[in-house]
Amino acid sequence: MTAHGIDEATLRRRLDALEPPRGVLEIANRLLDAGHETWCVGGAIRDALLGRPSLDWDLATSATPAEMRKVFRRVVPKGEQFGTLGLFDQDGVMHEVTTFRRDVQTDGRHAVVEFGASLYDDLARRDFTINAIAFSPRGRTLHDPFDGVGDLRRGVVRAVGDADARLREDRLRALRAIRFAARFEFDFDPPTWAAVVASGPHLGRLSAERVREELDKTLRQVRAPSWALERWRESGALATLIPALADVSPVAFTTLDHLPVPRGRRERGRYLHRLAAPWLERDRVTAERSLRALRCSNQEVRWVADLVDRWQRVAGSIRGALLADAAPAEAELRRWASAVGRVMVADVLRLGAARWAAERAAGREAPDAARVRALHRRMIRVAYGQPIELADLAVDGGDLLAAGIAAGPGVGIILQRLLAAVVEDPAENDRERLLARAAASND
């Protein structure tokens, strides 16, 4: 990846314009007025210097949790044993404030901390230099003891201090390093990348929930996630954490790059498309088992598994038809729509369009984008305008029973045969014709 750093003039201009939200300033000023050193820290400072919006502004202070309770009557213990309280501004908005702290013991997953540290100690325990920059909300100055601003300028992800030691403290930092590099299109500091690779075999110690959250952030925040997923593969993280994806083709990952970035944390459709894309080369059972192991929600698991299953039902025939000279006949469209199901036609074709775009980018023969768009329009019209599902039939199981067909599995089999006939010729979707077909089929 070619690093995208920031020039000095741009950094200075963004620093001059840096303005924490009113509620953050209010809380900082109350702590400062009570005699407690207080700084804005973390990702919000990094994002502001990168010219990116940030919703989460964190504060670090010399005040202990007990001292913060003396200044603020209303608090929420967000992680008081680690020094973090939720404090409310005058508008009732909660902001996280954490006491300066240092690590005294780590095991690769959790840390034991102690208070009474300095701002330098607090920044020294952070993962990467670009996240170890503090901003004084009153003095409007930066405190940057590890040259995080320089790394922003150079476009580099570099661990604070000894890279190997920093990643041993919390193995999730290996995945975070990859996400930051992918999100900002930065390069790795060589010792930091070496520490990421060294972490690969040890990532199995992480909880599935933490891995799932990191994957979620990668899918939501990174414009082109394939670069990040290839680094997961190259470092050994993929083989350790999601072995079913360790040997998929590069196209399985570049498919994600042709899907739009989700719009915010609550946007589901685009996120689910990105979550499903790598699994198009795997079967339904494998996808379902792997996503459950990652502690994905039941809804996400079912949706992805269903989409993978439907994709594999029709992908080969759709691909072949789009590569042929003639446009597919309408009866073929009905068969595909029926196999996929009305509500998933658009999702399957959206994934298909991204997959075939990735194949074309890799120099493979794949359906043309214009033909895919034309098929999408035709398929939607067919799916929502013609009978393709059992519920669309002019008869149902009750009608067959009333016509003298014995109850049991045979009723479902006959309904499927009737549907197949209607999919081939919608004119057959007539009550009397269908009952006659059913009677003949039952003989």
Side-chain angles (χ1 to χ4, degrees):
M1 178 184 295
T2 301
H4 290 66
I6 310 170
D7 63 80
E8 183 69 35
T10 299
L11 276 171
R12 175 51 56 184
R13 186 169 62 251
R14 288 174 180 168
L15 175 59
D16 292 341
L18 198 157
E19 190 66 36
R22 184 183 66 181
V24 173
L25 292 174
E26 174 198 331
I27 290 174
N29 284 326
R30 289 182 65 180
L31 288 167
L32 287 165
D33 290 343
H36 304 297
E37 184 183 358
T38 304
W39 295 75
C40 297
V41 294
I45 311 305
R46 176 202 67 220
D47 290 347
L49 295 176
L50 287 170
R52 295 167 177 257
S54 181
L55 298 177
D56 299 322
W57 284 76
D58 295 329
L59 291 165
T61 180
S62 61
T64 64
E67 290 170 331
M68 283 190 264
R69 288 179 181 275
K70 293 179 181 179
V71 180
F72 295 86
R73 288 187 297 177
R74 184 184 177 196
V75 302
V76 174
K78 300 287 288 184
E80 192 162 359
Q81 71 273 31
F82 301 112
T84 301
L85 294 180
L87 306 182
F88 292 85
D89 62 29
Q90 64 183 8
D91 296 322
V93 178
M94 186 182 72
H95 305 273
E96 289 192 3
V97 184
T98 303
T99 303
F100 294 158
R101 54 194 177 169
R102 67 169 65 90
D103 292 340
V104 295
Q105 181 181 337
T106 59
D107 64 1
R109 293 182 299 173
H110 309 99
V112 176
V113 301
E114 68 176 13
F115 307 143
S118 65
L119 174 62
Y120 177 89
D121 293 327
D122 190 77
L123 296 177
R125 70 178 295 276
R126 296 175 184 267
D127 49 10
F128 307 108
T129 62
I130 59 176
N131 298 331
I133 307 169
F135 174 74
S136 169
R138 183 170 287 180
R140 299 196 58 78
T141 58
L142 291 179
H143 187 63
D144 181 26
F146 304 104
D147 196 26
V149 172
D151 287 334
L152 290 176
R153 188 185 304 115
R154 291 182 287 270
V156 170
V157 172
R158 178 167 59 90
V160 172
D162 184 309
D164 196 55
R166 200 83 316 114
L167 270 62
R168 282 201 309 271
E169 291 169 355
D170 184 352
R171 293 298 185 182
L172 190 72
R173 289 172 172 174
L175 304 184
R176 283 169 56 82
I178 293 172
R179 171 165 57 88
F180 289 135
R183 180 184 176 194
F184 304 132
E185 299 183 4
F186 281 9
D187 286 335
F188 286 107
D189 163 65
T192 300
W193 173 247
V196 170
V197 174
S199 293
H202 304 285
L203 295 177
R205 300 183 62 195
L206 296 172
S207 69
E209 289 80 5
R210 296 186 78 200
V211 175
R212 166 76 175 81
E213 183 179 6
E214 192 57 40
L215 178 63
D216 178 275
K217 290 179 179 178
T218 298
L219 298 181
R220 291 185 179 278
Q221 297 176 359
V222 178
R223 182 187 59 81
S226 68
W227 189 91
L229 292 174
E230 288 294 353
R231 301 294 80 72
W232 278 45
R233 173 151 49 195
E234 185 179 344
S235 66
L238 205 58
T240 300
L241 299 172
I242 318 177
L245 292 181
D247 61 348
V248 295
S249 73
V251 166
F253 293 152
T254 55
T255 298
L256 280 77
D257 302 349
H258 296 274
L259 292 164
V261 177
R263 296 168 296 211
R265 294 178 182 175
R266 296 187 178 182
E267 204 279 338
R268 299 293 294 167
R270 293 181 175 187
Y271 169 76
L272 286 173
H273 291 148
R274 284 189 157 199
L275 181 63
W279 299 100
L280 297 183
E281 295 181 7
R282 293 292 178 260
D283 61 81
R284 178 194 184 111
V285 173
T286 300
E288 190 169 6
R289 184 184 302 120
S290 299
L291 292 173
R292 288 198 187 284
L294 283 171
R295 302 295 191 271
C296 292
S297 71
N298 289 334
Q299 180 188 24
E300 290 168 343
V301 172
R302 284 193 300 269
W303 192 91
V304 172
D306 284 346
L307 187 139
V308 167
D309 179 56
R310 285 156 173 73
W311 163 261
Q312 293 181 352
R313 291 181 194 179
V314 300
S317 57
I318 292 179
R319 178 193 181 90
L322 289 177
L323 290 175
D325 292 335
E330 196 147 296
E332 190 70 66
L333 302 187
R334 288 193 296 271
R335 285 192 287 272
W336 293 334
S338 182
V340 168
R342 178 172 287 124
V343 298
M344 296 202 81
V345 164
D347 296 302
V348 167
L349 291 179
R350 193 165 290 117
L351 265 292
R355 171 79 188 194
W356 294 322
E359 290 179 358
R360 291 195 302 272
R364 299 187 190 178
E365 182 183 36
D368 173 78
R371 299 198 72 182
V372 174
R373 288 193 296 270
L375 175 70
H376 194 144
R377 291 191 293 269
R378 291 183 66 200
M379 284 274 285
I380 293 298
R381 285 197 297 269
V382 165
Y384 287 90
Q386 298 189 30
I388 61 166
E389 296 185 344
L390 288 175
D392 301 328
L393 292 177
V395 298
D396 58 21
D399 295 320
L400 300 190
L401 294 175
I405 294 175
V411 173
I413 294 172
I414 291 174
L415 285 172
Q416 289 293 341
R417 290 173 181 168
L418 297 182
L419 177 61
V422 168
V423 167
E424 289 302 314
D425 182 4
E428 291 295 308
N429 196 26
D430 173 84
R431 176 181 172 80
E432 298 306 320
R433 289 187 186 184
L434 292 179
L435 288 175
R437 276 184 175 272
S441 180
N442 195 45
D443 290 341

